Amino acid sequence: MSTVSVAVPRKGRPLEAVLERLAAEAGTAALVDDISSTLRYEKAVTKGNQEADGDVYERLARYSDHEDRTAPEYTLIRDDRKGMPRRVVFDSVVVPLADDLDLRLVGREEPFRALRKHEVPLGFDSADLVLEEVVELRSDPLSSLGDVNDRIDPRDTDVRLVSGLGDTVWHSLLATRDTAAEHDPDLDRAFVDDYDGELCLSPRYERLVQAVLGTDVTDGVEFSYPSDDQTEEEAIAETGIGVYLTVTGSTARDQGLVVGERLFPSETVLLENAAERSPAVERVTDALTSQVTETRLAAQ
């Protein structure tokens, strides 16, 4: 019997995307529903939108079934918001894929870094983190997941993208109407290339934005950041132009912003540490991507 560990986020939409993929690929819909409903309930309790049924330690004990190796396990983390209690999050679950092969999902705060440290051979995490940490900055822009692997220095990490899950939220250009009217008719990379001045973004995305716009485009641009009491959209409206994640653009338009070019998909991706590849790992990769319509990204 072989067991292949796959690192996943402990909570949130990226974990749900992974669980949905697992349900589609491995026929584990009931298990996925159980995990998802538990985590949504615990999120509601943490936010004060649901009355807790017992204290957090009682609930944690109730969720566990140590007699069943395929039952999900949970753990506690301290919620990072001030005054918030400990929160129940995903820890692990074993999913049999064949008589001789188990997949073990392992919750991690930073799955990508777990792969970089060779703790696991496979993992799911946001493509953003790859751009923020290991993608080479070049003069030309990076616009698709398919180009990411070519920009990873093999001397820096053995981790590569395999495929995306399609839970896409776009890093998009946003600008006030007055700013947009001053330059090109289209709010796109060419617009930023002609623009000199402040461009507002979340501090963590500075390197990502340089990668997706290209260093030639960002030459002459000065990055600015939201203050502690501002949302990103509010800060961009004050600055005049910026880059932020948007699904429908409705919250951006509430601030009087025009939604421009979609620059790069913020998507949950399957990652592989090529140095940890084995026949069992390849079987798990195939199981997790057998119905994927997107092009496989990792070099085989």
Side-chain angles (χ1 to χ4, degrees):
M1 172 67 72
S2 296
T3 299
V4 174
S5 293
V6 181
V8 298
R10 289 197 181 277
K11 56 184 173 63
R13 177 57 199 162
L15 175 59
E16 289 197 359
V18 174
L19 294 175
E20 289 167 6
R21 169 58 57 83
L22 188 64
E25 305 289 358
T28 58
L31 173 65
V32 166
D33 287 345
D34 180 30
I35 297 172
S36 297
S37 62
T38 298
L39 295 178
R40 287 172 186 167
Y41 169 77
E42 289 298 329
K43 179 180 179 180
V45 169
T46 302
K47 289 190 168 186
N49 299 327
Q50 179 78 44
E51 185 175 345
D53 179 16
D55 69 32
V56 68
Y57 298 102
E58 291 172 340
R59 298 197 306 276
L60 184 65
R62 189 163 61 244
Y63 297 147
S64 301
D65 182 356
H66 299 295
E67 301 299 318
D68 182 358
R69 72 182 186 88
T70 63
E73 293 290 330
Y74 302 90
T75 191
L76 297 176
I77 60 170
R78 177 70 68 183
D79 193 274
D80 57 8
R81 289 170 294 176
K82 186 176 181 180
M84 290 295 167
R86 290 187 181 274
R87 178 172 172 180
V88 174
V89 295
F90 176 75
D91 185 67
S92 64
V93 70
V94 173
V95 178
L97 293 181
D99 291 342
D100 62 342
L101 181 64
D102 283 345
L103 177 156
R104 182 172 182 258
L105 295 184
V106 183
R108 287 288 185 270
E109 290 301 302
E110 299 172 331
F112 174 53
R113 289 170 185 165
L115 265 81
R116 293 194 72 186
K117 292 188 289 186
H118 297 258
E119 294 176 5
V120 290
L122 297 169
F124 288 94
D125 212 334
S126 171
D128 292 357
L129 293 178
V130 182
L131 270 65
E132 290 163 21
E133 295 201 6
V134 298
V135 162
E136 178 186 6
L137 299 181
R138 297 181 184 175
S139 59
D140 54 317
L142 176 66
S143 57
S144 72
L145 292 176
D147 296 329
V148 170
N149 285 337
D150 290 338
R151 296 203 183 192
I152 297 176
D153 187 337
R155 295 168 297 184
D156 190 23
T157 180
D158 293 313
V159 179
R160 298 293 184 273
L161 273 64
V162 178
S163 69
L165 295 190
D167 58 329
T168 308
V169 180
W170 289 89
H171 293 278
S172 300
L173 273 171
L174 306 173
T176 61
R177 288 181 173 81
D178 287 345
T179 301
E182 292 176 2
H183 298 275
D184 268 58
D186 297 319
L187 186 57
D188 56 15
R189 286 179 173 86
F191 179 102
V192 181
D193 200 14
D194 292 336
Y195 172 83
D196 289 319
E198 290 188 8
L199 186 145
C200 185
L201 44 79
S202 176
R204 64 170 291 192
Y205 289 132
E206 182 172 320
R207 195 174 187 281
L208 180 149
V209 169
Q210 287 180 286
V212 302
L213 287 175
T215 54
D216 282 354
V217 171
T218 54
D219 185 30
V221 169
E222 179 183 350
F223 293 133
S224 63
Y225 315 103
S227 61
D228 291 340
D229 59 350
Q230 282 182 310
T231 66
E232 279 77 2
E233 289 96 335
E234 288 171 341
I236 291 170
E238 184 177 291
T239 303
I241 185 171
V243 178
Y244 189 55
L245 294 165
T246 182
V247 181
T248 65
S250 60
T251 56
R253 283 187 277 270
D254 287 343
Q255 299 295 328
L257 297 170
V258 177
V259 180
E261 183 179 0
R262 292 176 167 182
L263 299 173
F264 191 81
S266 179
E267 188 169 324
T268 305
V269 292
L270 175 61
L271 301 163
E272 175 191 66
N273 189 312
E276 304 297 329
R277 188 178 295 162
S278 69
V281 171
E282 290 176 1
R283 289 175 64 191
V284 169
T285 301
D286 289 342
L288 291 172
T289 59
S290 65
Q291 298 177 31
V292 178
T293 57
E294 300 94 339
T295 302
R296 287 281 291 272
L297 305 173
Q300 300 298 312

